[in-house]
Amino acid sequence: MNHANPTVDLTAIAGELIHSLMLRPWGQVSTSVYETGRLVSLAPWLTGHQERIDYLIRAQSQDGSWGAPDGYGLVPTLSATEAILSVLGHADPGMDHERLGAAADRGLRRLGVWLSNPLELPDMPAIEHIVPSLVASINRRLGELPGHAPLPLPEGMSYDGLQRVSSLIGTGIEVPEKLLHALEVAGDKAGEAPGIRPTAIGTIGASPAATAAWLRNRYADDADGPVRNHLEAVVRLHGGPVPVGLPITVFERGWVLSWLVRAGVPVEVPPEMVADLRAAIGPDGAAAGPGLPADADTTSVALYALALVGAPHEPDSLWRFRFGTNFSTWPREQGVSVTVNAHVLDAFGQYVACRPAAAPRYEQAIAEVAAWIRDHQRPDGSWADRWHASPYYATVSCALALDAFGGQAAAESVRAAVEWVLDTQRPDGSWGRWAGTAEESAYAMQTLLLTGAGPEPRRMRAVNEGLAYLTGAAGGEHPPLWHDKDLYVPLAVARAAMIAAAYLARRVQLSSWP
């Protein structure tokens, strides 16, 4: 590696990434088996139908499943299997029925094994509604096929919640914004729901599946309408397959800026991006994108990014998410998130660093949130979270926030996190939950590089090995690790994390320690 001026290329790459956010304001997101399967079933009239079917067939694993291990495969496998059964049910003469039938049989066999045994499922948005909805739909289709027993629900799940959702939508009262993101679970009622209106750009719930479900019974009348046009634009992004959530404008910009600026990468942030972030934060906070409700995570990261770039914004909109000594993603959220609270700590801490006179308003919350995060650290020194499959994401979020704003009381927690990262590095220099990945390695390296310690030899060796891995993995595909209805990759966000880690590591190689 040429050490003469090793940061120039990374600085240019970071600048190009920032520029791309302005060129593609809806966001850069990977495709989703779950969401693509729903469009195959709900919108066969939409451009790219055959391409979506081909995508599902290609994505199937040899064991008949789709998706990641550890329970993450259930939702995408249900969706893809149901979608293929729907195609077979249409008896389209242009389809390869033998190939489709074999894929459906493999999926059904895998589902039969999973659902006949105890199955631990991850904490994914709307999973308690999505799984019953898909199982019911598959069983209706199997009723027309001899020789197939109906699929059972996983232990602990029932159809009761799904029925309540359908009843709520049918009443005509305002549907909670959070529910709109998974409107497709309501089946036929999704298209009959009074009171649901698309956003100005034509999306329902920032979800292609939810949007298609709403449009399902009216697509002929909306051939040139904003909703159909929105879906046509989304399917063109990847040539047929679709992401699980779009747009993610505020989320993407907040995270990208946070990774890059915190690492000291010299980037020029367009003033209109700063203005857009400020405008996105209203009295109730900021939403990840149009069609989604305001949430504490997006709000916090947007606030933190603004403070980092020298445009601090009063973080008082976060108070509505406070729940005792911690903060929830949404008011009345079921479950808790350590990364949301780490990002709240970042937002409050960085604002006070910019506006010391505001300290009395936020110092108690800062202390309480820091203590709450420490209390949720796992015995091995890591953290786990409901918004990302990898403990490396949760750990970098918590360790960096505690190191910057947790005070001396957090020193032992940060040290334990660093030791866990050092202990879990793979022989090839990478880090990862299921296998070494560039994204997770970037998080691990930032935990080592951005927490306050001297140039310890063990850290230096780990960073050098991590950088060698990261350099070799540059340009490769990133497995989906972020939680939505399906696992996904916010591509620009993951890339920013890798740029930040590489920049820090190269700077370390030229000096004793940042």
Side-chain angles (χ1 to χ4, degrees), residues 78-369:
L78 284 168
S79 180
T81 302
E82 195 280 339
I84 293 170
L85 288 172
S86 76
V87 175
L88 289 168
H90 291 149
D92 188 331
M95 296 292 175
D96 186 343
H97 287 76
E98 183 176 350
R99 183 184 181 213
L100 291 168
D105 284 341
R106 290 194 299 271
L108 288 169
R109 284 197 299 271
R110 173 49 50 189
L111 290 169
V113 171
W114 281 344
L115 296 174
S116 299
N117 294 282
L119 183 63
E120 185 174 349
L121 296 176
D123 183 9
M124 305 286 280
I127 192 172
E128 72 278 14
H129 301 316
I130 288 171
V131 170
S133 173
L134 290 172
V135 169
S137 183
I138 287 174
N139 286 341
R140 284 193 296 271
R141 298 191 187 282
L142 291 180
E144 304 170 2
L145 300 174
H148 289 279
L151 296 174
L153 285 177
E155 184 178 349
M157 281 194 179
S158 74
Y159 293 105
D160 295 345
L162 185 62
Q163 291 168 352
R164 286 194 294 271
V165 168
S166 296
S167 298
L168 171 67
I169 290 173
T171 62
I173 66 174
E174 184 176 356
V175 177
E177 281 185 291
K178 192 168 70 168
L179 181 57
L180 290 180
H181 187 56
L183 182 64
E184 69 274 7
V185 302
D188 290 339
K189 287 193 178 293
E192 303 167 1
I196 295 178
R197 296 289 180 269
T199 67
I201 64 170
T203 182
I204 301 287
S207 160
T211 305
W214 183 85
L215 190 60
R216 186 178 187 182
N217 297 327
R218 46 171 73 89
Y219 73 91
D221 299 327
D222 194 64
D224 295 316
V227 180
R228 174 67 179 267
N229 289 337
H230 173 79
L231 284 176
E232 293 287 355
V234 173
V235 301
R236 284 199 298 270
L237 294 174
H238 295 283
V242 294
V244 70
L246 203 75
I248 58 163
T249 309
V250 181
F251 162 73
E252 181 182 76
R253 292 177 178 184
W255 263 257
V256 167
L257 290 179
S258 293
W259 289 131
L260 296 177
V261 179
R262 174 163 46 191
V265 182
V267 292
E268 183 177 341
V269 182
E272 56 267 42
M273 185 181 292
V274 176
D276 286 348
L277 277 179
R278 289 180 66 92
I281 304 170
D284 291 337
L292 293 170
D295 68 85
D297 209 20
T298 305
T299 305
S300 296
V301 178
L303 288 164
Y304 179 62
L306 286 169
L308 285 179
V309 300
H313 187 291
E314 180 77 40
D316 52 357
S317 58
L318 285 172
W319 294 122
R320 71 182 289 257
F321 302 101
R322 193 174 191 180
F323 183 75
T325 59
N326 65 284
F327 288 72
S328 57
T329 310
W330 304 282
R332 298 176 297 280
E333 175 189 21
Q334 293 179 341
V336 293
S337 165
V338 294
T339 63
V340 168
N341 283 273
H343 296 147
V344 170
L345 181 56
D346 280 335
F348 283 165
Q350 194 64 35
Y351 182 75
V352 169
C354 295
R355 298 280 190 270
R361 178 168 168 78
Y362 298 105
E363 59 188 6
Q364 181 177 346
I366 288 172
E368 290 176 348
V369 171

Side-chain angles (χ1 to χ4, degrees), residues 47-56 58 239-241:
T47 301
H49 181 60
Q50 183 62 58
E51 288 77 5
R52 284 186 285 279
I53 295 169
D54 292 341
Y55 166 82
L56 294 179
R58 290 195 307 271

